């Protein structure tokens, strides 16, 4: 069993920055960030695997950076140049084996409770 606890969400003006954290307990291979805005499907934002390979959604490339501190077993998402369309509930997810589809939500077994990010104009 893996438990994931997100933190770091909040409200920020457009163009601002936020850093999300996801503290994990247990063994993970791939960890990722997803987001879901009201009335929209959950979408993959960024993923980080055991080999330190990263994957990003096109909508956040160049603005968001995913990283992991293995000593703390904590995943991070540095979000810069935030836009109103980045407003959503952000979720951390993990799985224990590799996947060729790291931004597909159905690939993940464990999920956090979510942290809200609101970007105002």
């Amino acid at each position: 069993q893996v438990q994931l606890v997100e933190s770091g969400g909040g409200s920020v003006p457009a163009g601002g920055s936020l850093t999300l954290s996801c503290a994990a307990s247990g063994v993970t291979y791939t960890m990722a960030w997803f987001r879901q805005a009201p009335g929209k499907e959950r979408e993959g934002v960024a993923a980080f695997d055991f080999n330190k390979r990263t994957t990003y959604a096109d909508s956040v490339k160049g603005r968001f950076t995913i990283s992991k501190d293995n000593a703390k077993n904590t995943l991070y998402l540095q979000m810069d140049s935030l836009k109103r369309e980045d407003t959503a509930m952000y979720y951390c997810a993990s799985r224990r084996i590799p996947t060729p589809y790291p931004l597909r939500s159905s690939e993940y077994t464990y999920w956090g409770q979510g942290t809200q990010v609101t970007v105002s104009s």
Side-chain angles (χ1 to χ4, degrees):
Q1 190 76 5
V2 176
Q3 291 186 330
L4 305 171
V5 179
E6 301 104 331
S7 61
S11 297
V12 63
S17 298
L18 276 176
T19 300
L20 305 182
S21 300
C22 172
S25 65
V27 176
T28 63
Y29 186 92
T30 299
M31 296 183 72
W33 289 99
F34 289 80
R35 66 186 182 187
Q36 188 167 19
K40 294 187 177 181
E41 293 187 356
R42 188 169 295 188
E43 63 171 342
V45 175
F48 188 100
D49 75 13
F50 183 80
N51 294 311
K52 300 183 180 181
R53 180 171 53 194
T54 58
T55 307
Y56 293 94
D58 288 343
S59 59
V60 305
K61 282 181 181 176
R63 300 189 298 120
F64 290 11
T65 304
I66 191 169
S67 61
K68 186 171 183 281
D69 183 332
N70 286 325
K72 297 181 179 180
N73 209 17
T74 298
L75 184 74
Y76 301 97
L77 185 68
Q78 173 68 40
M79 305 185 293
D80 298 318
S81 302
L82 282 161
K83 304 175 181 180
R84 285 193 64 185
E85 51 263 43
D86 294 319
T87 295
M89 185 71 79
Y90 283 70
Y91 298 91
C92 176
S94 74
R95 55 179 285 126
R96 289 182 169 173
I97 57 177
T99 173
Y101 309 107
L103 295 184
R104 186 178 292 181
S105 60
S106 58
E107 295 291 298
Y108 289 85
T109 305
Y110 305 103
W111 291 85
Q113 81 287 353
T115 186
Q116 177 69 36
V117 172
T118 302
V119 183
S120 58
S121 58

